[in-house]
Amino acid sequence: EDQVTQSPEALRLQEGESSSLNCSYTVSGLRGLFWYRQDPGKGPEFLFTLYSAGEEKEKERLKATLTKKESFLHITAPKPEDSATYLCAVQARRWGKFQFGAGTQVVVTP
Amino acid sequence: DTAVSQTPKYLVTQMGNDKSIKCEQNLGHDTMYWYKQDSKKFLKIMFSYNNKELIINETVPNRFSPKSPDKAHLNLHINSLELGDSAVYFCASSQDETGELFFGEGSRLTVL
């Protein structure tokens, strides 16, 4: 059965304290792995798509990487405005739907 | 110039009532979706339409009925509301069935 598991569930960081979020997945034939950011009371906002193992994408203080079993979202020197829930989703080749993980809630304190 | 807009943002209603949520996207996308986010924050696909045609219909009670009058609109009608229907419902769109999703701000439904 296809699964997406994110860890940790919650992460509290001091401003400037770098860390990584994990997204482990089991899916037959990955079409793409997606990262989203969700602020309270808002819809998820697209960050990155990764298609193959070894691929990396960067945006400001965020960097996403992909292996055959997991993806990491690295947050370098985070700022309070990086506080949000980060969601990972996978899409398999055989079906069009996205399967989401439960998310990691990140709080960055000044 | 909101990309994906849904109304209403909040819905509070009694059990047994019928309600609708409307969604419109101005991105020119071909595919639209309804997702349900429960209290544990899991986002689950409910329906997907491509160019007004239903392509994904998850195991959702038939009290839920989507309607797509054109490819820019996807509405969700819910009959005989139950307590367990309380959740945030998100509309989303994508260029095609493989592209990234663009979400609306969500409609929080509370059934009393």
Side-chain angles (χ1 to χ4, degrees):
Chain A
E1 186 181 323
D2 299 334
Q3 280 194 330
V4 180
T5 305
Q6 291 190 246
S7 61
E9 288 185 14
L11 190 59
R12 194 172 184 89
L13 300 171
Q14 290 281 335
E15 186 171 0
E17 178 189 359
S18 302
S19 189
S20 294
L21 317 181
N22 178 268
C23 171
S24 297
Y25 64 91
T26 53
V27 64
S28 298
L30 179 72
R31 174 180 283 166
L33 185 141
F34 301 76
W35 282 99
Y36 289 84
R37 168 194 171 122
Q38 186 174 21
D39 293 300
K42 303 285 187 183
E45 178 187 342
F46 170 74
L47 292 173
F48 305 109
T49 310
L50 301 165
Y51 292 105
S52 56
E55 191 175 357
E56 299 182 352
K57 293 269 179 78
E58 280 189 73
K59 180 179 180 180
E60 295 180 357
R61 294 175 294 282
L62 301 176
K63 179 179 174 180
T65 61
L66 181 66
T67 72
K68 287 185 179 177
K69 294 182 179 180
E70 58 191 349
S71 176
F72 291 94
L73 185 66
H74 308 278
I75 311 179
T76 302
K79 298 183 177 182
E81 52 261 44
D82 295 321
S83 297
T85 295
Y86 292 86
L87 299 167
C88 163
V90 297
Q91 190 183 41
R93 288 197 193 95
R94 71 182 185 286
W95 36 250
K97 62 184 179 181
F98 293 80
Q99 185 159 342
F100 281 83
T104 295
Q105 185 179 15
V106 174
V107 174
V108 183
T109 55
Chain B
D1 54 343
T2 306
V4 181
S5 59
Q6 49 184 116
T7 57
K9 191 169 174 65
Y10 299 98
L11 267 173
V12 181
T13 189
Q14 298 286 333
M15 268 196 321
N17 284 351
D18 303 338
K19 288 293 176 188
S20 292
I21 306 171
K22 294 186 175 181
C23 179
E24 176 182 1
Q25 55 96 1
N26 62 6
L27 296 167
H29 288 167
D30 287 338
T31 310
M32 294 185 73
Y33 309 79
W34 279 110
Y35 277 84
K36 179 180 180 180
Q37 189 171 46
D38 59 25
S39 56
K40 293 187 177 180
K41 301 299 183 185
F42 266 110
L43 268 167
K44 292 183 183 175
I45 182 79
M46 300 175 68
F47 302 103
S48 171
Y49 272 74
N50 184 271
N51 260 319
K52 302 193 296 175
E53 285 193 30
L54 182 66
I55 53 171
I56 293 175
N57 184 349
E58 285 297 281
T59 310
V60 176
N62 58 16
R63 298 181 294 104
F64 290 78
S65 52
K67 281 197 171 59
S68 182
D70 56 61
K71 77 171 195 177
H73 295 84
L74 180 62
N75 304 324
L76 183 66
H77 187 76
I78 316 170
N79 289 326
S80 304
L81 279 156
E82 299 178 357
L83 292 177
D85 297 332
S86 295
V88 182
Y89 292 85
F90 286 99
C91 177
S93 72
S94 62
Q95 180 62 47
D96 52 41
E97 294 168 57
T98 64
E100 61 265 22
L101 301 172
F102 291 79
F103 285 87
E105 298 224 321
S107 296
R108 180 175 293 276
L109 172 64
T110 303
V111 182
L112 304 174

